[in-house]
Amino acid sequence: KTTMNDSTMEALKGFDIDAPRWDQSTFMGRLKHFFNITDCRTVLLPDSRLDEAKALVESCRAGSVPPGTTVEQLHYAKKLYDSAFHPDTGDRMNLIGRMSFQVPGGMAITGFMLQFYRTVPAVVFWQWVNQSFNALVNYTNRNAASPITPKQIGVAYVTATSTALATAVGLNLYTKKAPPLVARWVPFAAVAAANCVNIPMMRQQEILNGIAVTDEDGNKLGHSRKAAVKGITQVVISRVTMAAPGMIILPIIMQRLEKYRFMQKITFLHGPLQVMMVGVFLIFMVPAACSLFPQSCSMAVSKLEPELRESIISQYGDRVSYVYFNKGL
């Protein structure tokens, strides 16, 4: 007679903890995956709890699951592992740079950027805070197979911050005579412009030297600059999409609400109100934007650089028609 424990252990014998729980080739599958790992409640957990989850994931990979462990416990450990540890290095990521911190961090900064858009000093301060946050997120979620020097990080940070400030201050002055709603959209224009600079600059090593590409089974085939450009472009599109609904729709809502007398009496609550409303948008938009493109990006061998393409064909013939790489987040 088999006990419940025996049947559970039997089910866990062939359990592949790295196999996706949801189909990563579909948008809905990726959306469920990112709703799972961007869960902002995980940022409240102590490092010791995260390290326990990592130990459980690693023991499962080694084929020795502790007795009494359930499939649910393994799934939860993998959720914590994916939310807090870098996919390339396995190192614990800094708290602020994790995707699970995007909702609390992003809602506070975006809410205040949308509230304090009228004066140049306020615009400068909040754009600087936002770019500092973005730089940390981009560095934390880079493709770690392509190392970056502290000097390059500094140059990327200064360039992106300058771009955001120049866009924000320039448009702020330019829109003085424009309708009030246009001025409220300036923060989004600055964020979008900065993302187009910040992410490629922070990941310049990949553009210069190429990103590591593998075959379907994870065997390394070489480095491709074209693959890096494709991956980074997708990340830029995702990040701009993440910010867009909150930063475009919320100003329209606030413009309407501020006409009511009750809103004019509680101006001191406008900032906190915008922070909360941005949070509602981001709870949905962070996983949705991360899900736009597959995390493991693919590219046809025919579209790679000639030297890499020839190297792959000479080694593998037509057995390898696509290469794969981690696009980052």
Side-chain angles (χ1 to χ4, degrees):
K1 181 184 166 183
T2 58
T3 64
M4 181 67 185
N5 207 24
D6 291 338
S7 58
T8 306
M9 291 309 287
E10 200 60 40
L12 293 179
K13 256 183 188 169
F15 186 79
D16 180 1
I17 199 158
D18 291 309
R21 281 179 73 181
W22 298 280
D23 181 3
Q24 295 296 294
S25 64
T26 67
F27 174 76
M28 285 311 294
R30 294 194 294 272
L31 186 63
K32 287 175 185 172
H33 169 73
F34 280 109
F35 255 116
N36 195 37
I37 70 165
T38 60
D39 181 347
C40 53
R41 293 172 300 179
T42 61
V43 301
L44 301 171
L45 296 172
D47 288 348
S48 57
R49 180 70 189 85
L50 298 175
D51 290 337
E52 281 171 25
K54 183 184 182 183
L56 184 54
V57 168
E58 287 175 344
S59 67
C60 185
R61 281 175 179 161
S64 60
V65 180
T69 307
T70 64
V71 172
E72 285 71 33
Q73 285 171 328
L74 286 176
H75 280 317
Y76 186 64
K78 187 64 165 62
K79 167 183 176 160
L80 297 186
Y81 180 84
D82 286 343
S83 73
F85 294 91
H86 196 283
D88 293 336
T89 62
D91 295 337
R92 190 168 57 241
M93 298 186 284
N94 69 76
L95 179 72
I96 295 169
R98 293 176 201 165
M99 275 294 154
S100 49
F101 193 78
Q102 276 286 304
V103 173
M107 67 190 262
I109 296 168
T110 308
F112 287 120
M113 274 197 294
L114 293 176
Q115 177 62 23
F116 302 109
Y117 66 94
R118 291 184 178 90
T119 68
V120 171
V123 167
V124 168
F125 176 74
W126 285 106
Q127 287 293 337
W128 167 74
V129 170
N130 186 49
Q131 285 316 309
S132 302
F133 177 60
N134 279 349
L136 188 57
V137 172
N138 295 338
Y139 175 71
T140 306
N141 292 284
R142 73 202 181 286
N143 179 310
S146 306
I148 182 168
T149 65
K151 183 184 175 186
Q152 287 167 327
I153 294 169
V155 170
Y157 171 61
V158 170
T159 312
T161 307
S162 307
T163 304
L165 294 181
T167 309
V169 173
L171 287 176
N172 203 273
L173 299 172
Y174 182 72
T175 56
K176 284 276 186 264
K177 292 173 186 169
L181 187 58
V182 175
R184 285 179 180 267
W185 281 331
V186 167
F188 174 65
V191 165
N195 266 329
C196 293
V197 175
N198 195 340
I199 297 167
M201 287 292 292
M202 195 57 88
R203 296 177 60 180
Q204 58 188 289
Q205 284 296 92
E206 295 166 46
I207 298 170
L208 296 172
N209 304 322
I211 195 170
V213 295
T214 67
D215 64 11
E216 217 170 353
D217 301 319
N219 302 310
K220 196 170 167 186
L221 301 171
H223 286 79
S224 168
R225 291 183 297 280
K226 286 188 175 180
V229 170
K230 179 179 179 179
I232 291 167
T233 303
Q234 291 184 351
V235 172
V236 171
I237 293 167
S238 292
R239 290 295 184 80
V240 174
T241 306
M242 196 182 287
M247 297 189 84
I248 292 172
I249 299 167
L250 197 51
I252 300 171
I253 296 171
M254 288 303 290
Q255 183 90 344
R256 296 268 173 91
L257 285 177
E258 284 174 11
K259 289 176 181 168
Y260 293 106
R261 188 168 292 165
F262 79 93
M263 281 294 282
Q264 290 161 8
K265 286 179 182 171
I266 55 161
T267 50
F268 63 94
L269 286 177
H270 289 191
L273 181 64
Q274 294 210 73
V275 168
M276 296 310 293
M277 292 197 320
V278 169
V280 172
F281 277 105
L282 286 181
I283 283 169
F284 295 99
M285 284 315 300
V286 170
C290 288
S291 307
L292 286 180
F293 306 101
Q295 182 63 32
S296 179
C297 199
S298 63
M299 195 171 194
V301 170
S302 58
K303 292 187 177 171
L304 296 171
E305 295 86 336
E307 61 275 18
L308 179 59
R309 185 170 65 234
E310 283 159 21
S311 156
I312 292 170
I313 292 169
S314 67
Q315 272 184 283
Y316 298 94
D318 56 3
R319 292 199 306 279
V320 175
S321 50
Y322 280 88
V323 295
Y324 300 87
F325 53 96
N326 170 19
K327 71 171 175 61
L329 277 177

